[in-house]
Amino acid sequence: MPATFPRGRFVWHELMTTDPDGASTFYSKVVGWKTEPSDHDPSYRMWRMGKRPTGGLMRIPDEARRMGAPAQWTPYVAVPDVDQTVQQAEAMGARVHVRRRDIPEGRFAVLADPWGASFMVFTPSTTEAMGSDEAALGDYSWHEHVSDDWRKAWDFYSKLFGWQHAESMEMGPGNTYWMFKRASGAPMLGGMYNRPADMQAPPHWLSYVRVASADTAAAAAQAAGGRVLHGPMEVPGGGRIAMLVDPQGAAFAVHSIAARPARRAPARSKPKRAAKRKPARKAKPRVKKGKAKAKRRPKRRG
């Protein structure tokens, strides 16, 4: 692995659903993604934004469906060594759903944290699959972990992935929104908070897709058979979000960044021309009125 391996970066997002065809149509209307079959497994589809792959789509395996697995999005987090990370996670109370599997793109494992939220750890085979810290349109730009004890969740994930605290804010009495980043100087990745008393969903990860307009995406989701859980609403920093559910029941969110108004160069005022001052007229010598006396010539001496 290169010395700059991006440990802790969210590098992939996968939707397991009961209706891949319906999901493909829905997300193309809401986010703008297209799908195409994987070269290695035609049953696995790739989400694409233009030519850029952004995630995966597959049908819930029969065995998982019989066990009650719901339609859901699951994030992949990059680690240098999947086997070592799985051992560490198990020692801290995680459960393993799929243990260390190799695919052409790398090696992965599916885990559930001590609160039941599913996630995957992934070691890519090439640096091209590592993604970027900057989220473009169609990429997942934010990730929220919701549990019954965000402090314990933070202890678990910060040890597992090396995440660092970035900022925090109070959402209400006794409930902090704890934001984190991958490394010093990197942009923030997401936040953690405790489940509100009225939230029926179990502990989970909720991932946000960056879109041009959260309001437009929310309206498109409703028109395509999805539901809006919260929003659209403004969030600190000037962006807008909406929390949604697709027609098969998988939760996701959208996030748009407010466009900054272009800075106009201050108008340069033309310097006022100084008024031309007419030169002062020289005063003419005043001549006394009356006849001037003739000068007397001196008499000649004889």
Side-chain angles (χ1 to χ4, degrees):
M1 282 298 144
T4 57
F5 185 86
R7 178 190 178 205
R9 177 185 291 167
F10 289 91
V11 293
W12 196 251
H13 297 79
E14 190 172 87
L15 174 62
M16 289 204 306
T17 181
T18 55
D19 183 4
D21 291 336
S24 178
T25 301
F26 174 82
Y27 286 97
S28 68
K29 294 177 179 178
V30 177
V31 180
W33 291 330
K34 304 299 180 185
T35 58
E36 66 177 28
S38 168
D39 294 337
H40 306 289
D41 181 1
S43 67
Y44 189 88
R45 306 185 199 185
M46 310 278 282
W47 296 110
R48 287 191 176 274
M49 192 69 175
K51 296 182 179 181
R52 190 178 74 253
T54 62
L57 168 65
M58 63 179 292
R59 186 181 298 276
I60 300 174
D62 292 339
E63 182 180 355
R65 192 173 67 251
R66 287 193 294 268
M67 295 174 62
Q72 64 178 340
W73 281 96
T74 306
Y76 283 62
V77 183
V79 295
D81 188 323
V82 165
D83 296 43
Q84 181 180 356
T85 303
V86 168
Q87 291 177 1
Q88 182 183 1
E90 284 187 292
M92 293 190 293
R95 290 180 290 113
V96 180
H97 289 325
V98 177
R99 185 177 296 275
R100 302 184 284 264
R101 182 170 297 177
D102 290 318
I103 55 176
E105 294 78 15
R107 188 179 181 105
F108 76 95
V110 185
L111 306 172
D113 66 23
W115 301 272
S118 297
F119 66 102
M120 300 190 192
V121 290
F122 179 60
T123 301
S125 56
T126 66
T127 56
E128 295 179 359
M130 292 185 186
S132 170
D133 285 324
E134 299 293 339
L137 286 176
D139 291 339
Y140 274 100
S141 59
W142 195 256
H143 305 81
E144 276 179 353
H145 185 270
V146 187
S147 71
D148 297 322
D149 192 331
W150 70 262
R151 287 183 174 84
K152 290 183 179 179
W154 171 245
D155 183 67
F156 173 85
Y157 282 103
S158 61
K159 290 178 179 176
L160 196 64
F161 298 136
W163 289 340
Q164 301 176 12
H165 174 234
E167 297 178 12
S168 56
M169 64 181 182
E170 295 304 313
M171 298 175 60
N175 195 6
T176 300
Y177 192 78
W178 186 266
M179 289 168 276
F180 59 91
K181 57 187 177 181
R182 186 179 62 82
S184 178
M188 289 190 289
L189 294 176
M192 297 182 174
Y193 67 100
N194 289 345
R195 281 193 305 166
D198 60 348
M199 181 180 283
Q200 298 179 356
H204 61 277
W205 277 102
L206 178 68
S207 298
Y208 289 67
V209 187
R210 184 181 169 192
V211 294
S213 168
D215 296 73
T216 301
Q222 285 186 303
R227 292 183 292 122
V228 177
L229 297 179
H230 296 290
M233 58 188 176
E234 191 169 345
V235 291
R240 290 181 66 78
I241 65 169
M243 298 179 183
L244 313 170
V245 176
D246 71 20
Q248 290 73 43
F252 70 107
V254 291
H255 169 219
S256 58
I257 300 174
R260 295 182 179 179
R263 294 185 62 184
R264 297 179 61 183
R268 298 181 63 183
S269 57
K270 294 182 179 179
K272 294 182 179 180
R273 294 182 178 179
K276 292 184 178 180
R277 297 182 62 183
K278 295 181 179 180
R281 293 182 179 179
K282 294 183 179 180
K284 294 182 178 179
R286 297 179 65 183
V287 178
K288 292 182 180 181
K289 292 183 178 181
K291 294 181 179 180
K293 292 183 178 180
K295 291 184 179 180
R296 297 178 67 182
R297 294 180 180 178
K299 291 181 179 181
R300 293 183 178 179
R301 293 181 180 180

